[in-house]
Amino acid sequence: MTLTALTAVAALALAGCGDDGTSKDPEPAPNRDLSLKGEKIEVAAVWTGPEQENFTKVLKEFEKRTGATVTFVPAQDPIVNFLGTKIAGGSPPDVAMLPQVGAIQQAAAQKWLKPVGPDAKAALAANYSRGWQDLGAVDGTQYGVYFKAANKSLVWYNSAVFENAGASEPKTWKDFLATAETISASGVTPVSVGGADGWTLTDWFENVYLSQAGPAKYDQLAKHEIKWTDPSVAAALKTLAELFGKPALIAGGPGGALQTEYPASVTQTFTGGDQPKGAMVFEGDFAAVNIAQTKAEIGKDAKVFPFPKVGDGGTVPVVTAGDAAVALKDTKGAQALLAFLASPDAAKIWAAEGGFLSPNKNLDPAAYPNDVQREIAKALIGAGDDFRFDMSDQMPQSFGGTPGKGEWKALQDFLKNPKDVAGTQARLEADAAKAYKAAAKG
């Protein structure tokens, strides 16, 4: 697609920042003269591979500026459970990166989190729209600094396969299925699915559900104000079954998909030239970092189109996500790191590496490594108010963010048996009801 078209789509897909997006002079955070020599700071996150490597580059710059020693602590998913164990053992990290709004709310309810200090608050006010600030707040108290954002409504594709098959970028779900059949007929399996990681399946569901059921229903389901047995959920699952129920359209079939982790689902789409294991892979802008590992050139070998709208009355879905830094210790070092992460200087480091999108409105778009990511970033900063945050990230983590349990497990079982719509709904509702009840008790 053209960059103009991508900009227009991304403007919709990354909307909702809550102000006019105009830039102000960025707050210096922290000041280059701030000395933290001798101070040791631990930062916990679930990032691995290239994400961990790129985040470590950000931490190294903080060390260089302050003299502090920062240690990256690999955390297990769900990170709230990991943090609970650390806190119970008397050794919590100073800072943690929380990938769910629900995790911030849960950690705040447990009184684990420390409010952001004045320097971080000033940096947030200077560099972030009200919408992204509010996502890191609980009951009016600011705890989180959203460092990394995501557009989770994209489909990346192998351009050589599309060209050989005579396929074009689909705009509707019906067209998407027809494109998949066209590619299949050309001798390449059309869709790569990372089903071993349940969160990718929640993203599939959320995009279909938001487009088909609409934002009001999406908000209700996210808060469990309607049940998972609602007809709108059945409709979304039946739509997904139109793809999941055709093994020939999925790389390795459902069984193979359930053994394919997310990174492999991306890389296998862009290795093997015009004979990859899959021609398309659905996931966020962050897939760029995995694509880069294959040596495919984004914008040439690897192209992207928006997740197709579902049904005659559907709209292009708009799902975003992000990772927020929170302090578990109210130390000078922890607060200084939060302030730094809220600065354009910190965002610039990772942006240059690719596979990263920043909600920081004072980050120069030139920091991004290619035009595709640059245009998506520009659209984020100039966005309106129609985005919806990842639904599973808003839910209690025991339901929406735990491997092998809750929504992740139910949708993996559904991928295996997409005819069982009613049974899937019943299991989702039972698990959701239990999780929300436990969350209400604190």
Side-chain angles (χ1 to χ4, degrees):
M1 69 190 298
T2 65
L3 290 180
T4 302
L6 183 59
T7 301
V9 170
L12 289 172
L14 290 165
C17 295
D19 68 6
D20 61 4
T22 54
S23 294
K24 303 172 185 175
D25 291 333
E27 191 77 15
N31 187 294
R32 286 182 178 274
D33 297 328
L34 176 63
S35 176
L36 296 172
K37 191 173 182 180
E39 185 148 354
K40 296 181 178 179
I41 305 169
E42 290 189 340
V43 183
V46 296
W47 290 324
T48 59
E51 286 186 310
Q52 181 180 331
E53 292 170 15
N54 292 334
F55 183 53
T56 299
K57 291 176 182 177
V58 178
L59 300 180
K60 289 293 183 185
E61 176 62 21
F62 179 78
E63 287 183 322
K64 180 181 174 182
R65 294 187 181 202
T66 64
T69 299
V70 185
T71 302
F72 181 90
V73 178
Q76 289 76 46
D77 226 347
I79 193 170
V80 168
N81 293 0
F82 172 85
L83 294 176
T85 300
K86 287 288 187 181
I87 290 167
S91 59
D94 300 86
V95 172
M97 305 301 299
L98 299 185
Q100 292 104 6
V101 173
I104 297 175
Q105 295 168 344
Q106 187 176 343
Q110 296 285 350
K111 303 191 184 304
W112 293 347
L113 306 184
K114 308 300 180 186
V116 302
D119 288 345
K121 268 191 176 179
L124 283 168
N127 299 321
Y128 285 73
S129 68
R130 173 50 56 186
W132 283 100
Q133 292 179 59
D134 288 346
L135 284 171
V138 179
D139 296 331
T141 299
Q142 192 74 43
Y143 292 107
V145 171
Y146 269 89
F147 177 62
K148 188 174 186 288
N151 170 3
K152 303 184 85 173
S153 298
L154 301 173
V155 180
W156 299 85
Y157 68 93
N158 185 311
S159 60
V161 174
F162 266 56
E163 186 176 342
N164 291 345
S168 57
E169 296 178 357
K171 290 181 170 53
T172 67
W173 181 257
K174 183 179 179 181
D175 290 344
F176 177 78
L177 295 174
T179 297
E181 294 286 2
T182 297
I183 292 169
S184 180
S186 76
V188 178
T189 307
V191 184
S192 176
V193 177
D197 291 315
W199 61 267
T200 65
L201 302 181
T202 69
D203 289 348
W204 273 103
F205 172 82
E206 288 159 9
N207 276 271
V208 167
Y209 189 81
L210 179 56
S211 181
Q212 194 170 40
K217 284 276 192 182
Y218 185 97
D219 292 342
Q220 290 176 319
L221 188 59
K223 297 173 184 176
H224 202 220
E225 292 174 351
I226 58 174
K227 294 184 177 182
W228 284 83
T229 49
D230 190 84
S232 62
V233 175
L237 291 173
K238 288 175 182 176
T239 295
L240 274 179
E242 291 174 357
L243 173 64
F244 291 174
K246 294 183 178 178
L249 300 184
I250 298 174
L258 287 167
Q259 295 177 32
T260 303
E261 295 180 342
Y262 158 71
S265 73
V266 179
T267 56
Q268 71 182 17
T269 306
F270 300 101
T271 52
D274 61 359
Q275 293 294 314
K277 289 185 178 179
M280 297 181 279
V281 60
F282 153 68
E283 251 320 324
D285 58 278
F286 46 82
V289 73
N290 306 99
I291 295 171
Q293 293 177 304
T294 70
K295 308 302 181 185
E297 183 180 342
I298 292 175
K300 181 183 177 183
D301 309 308
K303 294 185 178 181
V304 64
F305 60 84
F307 194 95
K309 63 180 182 179
V310 182
D312 295 335
T315 58
V316 174
V318 179
V319 179
T320 64
D323 297 271
V326 297
L328 288 90
K329 295 180 182 177
D330 194 15
T331 62
K332 187 178 179 181
Q335 292 293 349
L337 181 56
L338 291 189
F340 179 62
L341 293 176
S343 75
D345 284 1
K348 181 179 179 180
I349 297 166
W350 196 338
E353 303 297 329
F356 175 86
L357 189 64
S358 173
N360 191 310
K361 63 186 178 182
N362 284 310
L363 174 64
D364 186 344
Y368 293 95
N370 58 65
D371 286 343
V372 171
Q373 288 176 276
R374 203 167 291 128
E375 293 300 324
I376 291 174
K378 286 179 182 178
L380 169 63
I381 301 309
D385 60 0
D386 289 332
F387 88 76
R388 285 299 183 273
F389 204 83
D390 185 297
M391 186 191 293
S392 62
D393 287 354
Q394 299 181 57
M395 298 170 172
Q397 194 157 343
S398 60
F399 175 68
T402 302
K405 295 183 179 180
E407 189 182 5
W408 291 20
K409 178 64 163 60
L411 291 179
Q412 286 174 323
D413 290 344
F414 179 69
L415 174 59
K416 190 185 302 182
N417 182 17
K419 293 181 179 179
D420 189 20
V421 171
T424 300
Q425 285 185 273
R427 286 188 290 276
L428 284 164
E429 175 55 29
D431 289 344
K434 182 179 178 181
Y436 278 89
K437 184 177 181 180
K441 291 181 178 180

